[in-house]
Structures are given as structure tokens and as C-alpha cells.
Amino acid sequence: MNLHHLRLFRAVAADGTLTGAARRLNLSQSALSTQIKGLEASLGHDLFERRGRSLVLTEAGRIALDHADAIFRTAEDLAAVMRETGNVRRALRVGALATLSRNFQMEFLRPLVGRRDVEVILRSGSQAELLRDLDALALDVVLTNMAPPREADTLWLVHQIGEQPVSLIGTPKRVARRKMQVLLRDEGLVLPAKDSALRGAFDALMARYGVSPHIAAEADDMAMLRLLAREDAGLAVIPPIVVRDELTSGLLVEVAQLDGIREHFLAVTRERRFPNPVVAELLTKP
């Protein structure tokens, strides 16, 4: 068995027929069939079963395909690293949860600003999309505030890179000299979405206080929470880093930190034989 056999096997698995795969590979159907049979003999299992005119993976075939994909991903990773060796610039591919604070993202990447030897490629998306790309080696690191699920065969490495208190923040005219529990009861609140860890912690705090809050708005995007606070839609429950510029300018003020609620910022990487050294620089910065 060698990489050539696995490449042909993947082509047949992708096409579902010997005829189509042979055409794409510029091989005769008989030659391709011989190679696949040789691979099956070396593994000791049938990899395909015929259903009509199509070839469908057996259970052994699915396992073999998973391993073949992993082998080729590793080979592609190696080739990419070797191509970049000696280059002046190195690419860093960063995925960031679409709802994550832009200010936090900038803080993480700040050590790279102005460096001529690093090209930062930044994309946003959902947690599932970003983890898929990280698994496929299309990303080097994912920034998030939600820990990915850990399973027995997980390849994720989860690094906590920061945490922030969560505060009650609003415009100066909305904030009066009242106790926080009174504000929470009487003022309209701008809250994170119900499926967020931050909202769960806030709801638990309200239960402890015995307060039924008036919800003026809720959003799953920190940028939208920031805009709603600026527009005086209500008192926002957000980490101060999200509205750092507004707090500095006085456009918004921090009323109080919420007891026991903190936002955790995580960097998720994947076990790799050739990790991007720029990621290690960022994760070990003081």
C-alpha cells in the first residue's frame, strides 16, 4: 500500500464509479480496478460494494477513507510548511466567532500589527464552520468564547487567553444614583441571546436576586449589543472591552460589575505535526 493506492481509492470513493474515476484519472478502468483490488488485498477487507452501477463504501471503506483523508491533510500541511520555509512572509489564518468582540480580536492580534514577516488572514463564522475549517487545516487558530465539545478522539487544544468582567453599561443620562438591583428591576435591559453562556450566567444572577428584569432587546452579536447601548435602548450587559472606546470618551459609563459573571476568551488549535510557529508566539506572549 502506498500514497498512489490511496489517491486512487479516494478518487473512486468521491466519484462512486470506476468509469468516472478512471476518466478523471486518465487511467483505463481495468488498470484502476486492479489497483483497488490490490489495496483491498493488502488491507484484508472489501472497501466497496456494488449497488446497481454505483460503488458504495463498506464500513471498512469508510474507515479507510477517514484515514486516507487524514494522511493527505498531513501531507498537504507538510508541503505548505516546507514551501514557506525560507520565505520572508508567513501566513497566519485566524477564524473568529462572528459574535466575538472585535476589540478583543484586535488585542489578540496586536503583536502582529506592522510586522512585515506575517500576513494575517482573518475570517469569521459560526463555531461549527470554524472548527470544520480548523480540522481541515484551513485555519491555524479559532478565537471564541465557547469551549468546543470534547470527545474521546478530539484533536482540539483549548487555550484560555483572557477573561473580562461583565458589567451593566449605559448612557450617562440613563444612569442614576440607584442601587444596582433597583436598576436591574426598573430599567430596560439589553441582553445577550438566550443560548449564550453569558446570558445563562446573567439569568442565574437574576434568580439569586429575585428580580424579573424588563428586557428591552437581546442580540447574539457583541457589535449589535454595543450599538444598542450607544442608542440608549437600555442598560447593556456586556464586557467593558466591547465598549472600551465609548467608555473612554464618556459616551457610555460603567454602572457596576455584575457579581460572579465573567466572559472567557479562548483560542482553539488543532493537534498538528507542523504547527504554525506564529500561533505559539501569540499564545505565549506575556
Side-chain angles (χ1 to χ4, degrees):
M1 179 179 65
N2 54 43
L3 287 178
H4 178 65
H5 288 126
L6 293 178
R7 185 175 290 109
L8 299 183
F9 163 62
R10 292 174 82 212
V12 175
D15 188 275
T17 67
L18 280 173
T19 303
R23 186 183 305 113
R24 287 197 300 118
L25 294 167
N26 198 26
L27 292 173
S28 69
Q29 184 173 332
S30 60
L32 179 57
S33 178
T34 299
Q35 295 286 337
I36 296 299
K37 288 178 180 177
L39 177 60
E40 290 177 325
S42 67
L43 294 175
H45 294 279
D46 291 337
L47 302 178
F48 296 99
E49 62 181 36
R50 183 171 293 281
R51 293 184 186 173
R53 296 184 178 182
S54 299
L55 293 177
V56 178
L57 287 169
T58 62
E59 183 177 359
R62 291 188 181 280
I63 294 171
L65 183 60
D66 286 343
H67 283 275
D69 287 343
I71 289 169
F72 279 96
R73 282 199 301 267
T74 301
E76 290 163 4
D77 193 26
L78 171 61
V81 170
M82 295 299 104
R83 283 197 301 270
E84 291 179 3
T85 300
N87 286 358
V88 176
R89 291 170 64 81
R90 176 179 288 275
L92 175 69
R93 299 170 178 83
V94 181
L97 193 66
T99 57
L100 196 65
S101 163
R102 291 348 184 227
N103 284 340
F104 168 73
Q105 295 177 43
M106 194 64 244
E107 284 296 319
F108 180 76
L109 297 172
R110 193 175 301 282
L112 304 181
V113 173
R115 280 183 49 170
R116 299 178 63 86
D117 62 327
V118 178
E119 176 189 1
V120 178
I121 302 168
L122 186 63
R123 65 171 294 253
S124 61
S126 69
Q127 182 99 332
E129 292 170 337
L130 296 176
L131 292 178
R132 278 198 301 269
D133 286 346
L134 182 64
D135 187 48
L137 307 178
L139 292 174
D140 297 305
V141 61
V142 169
L143 303 180
T144 181
N145 55 6
M146 299 189 300
R150 292 192 61 81
E151 300 172 356
D153 59 347
T154 183
L155 297 174
W156 308 137
L157 302 173
V158 181
H159 317 263
Q160 181 164 323
I161 53 177
E163 63 176 11
Q164 277 274 317
V166 176
S167 298
L168 201 60
I169 290 174
T171 58
K173 67 180 182 181
R174 180 177 288 273
V175 178
R177 291 185 175 277
R178 287 179 287 167
K179 292 183 178 180
M180 183 174 64
Q181 292 187 31
V182 176
L183 288 171
L184 290 170
R185 183 192 65 206
D186 295 346
E187 292 289 330
L189 299 180
V190 176
L191 301 179
K194 290 183 178 179
D195 60 352
S196 66
L198 186 54
R199 177 61 178 277
F202 175 79
D203 289 345
L205 179 63
M206 293 303 93
R208 291 198 300 274
Y209 283 169
V211 171
S212 297
H214 166 61
I215 301 174
E218 58 182 55
D220 62 359
D221 186 338
M222 286 292 173
M224 181 55 70
L225 291 175
R226 170 176 169 265
L227 291 176
L228 288 167
R230 286 171 57 108
E231 292 299 317
D232 198 29
L235 293 177
V237 174
I238 47 177
I241 192 173
V242 176
V243 290
R244 180 181 54 197
D245 295 342
E246 288 82 0
L247 293 175
T248 301
S249 69
L251 182 63
L252 295 174
V253 294
E254 183 178 10
V255 180
Q257 291 185 10
L258 296 173
D259 297 338
I261 304 181
R262 302 188 72 82
E263 178 86 316
H264 297 276
F265 298 109
L266 308 171
V268 183
T269 58
R270 181 190 187 280
E271 292 181 2
R272 291 174 63 164
R273 186 171 297 177
F274 302 101
N276 189 325
V278 181
V279 176
E281 288 182 43
L282 291 173
L283 295 178
T284 58
K285 68 181 180 181

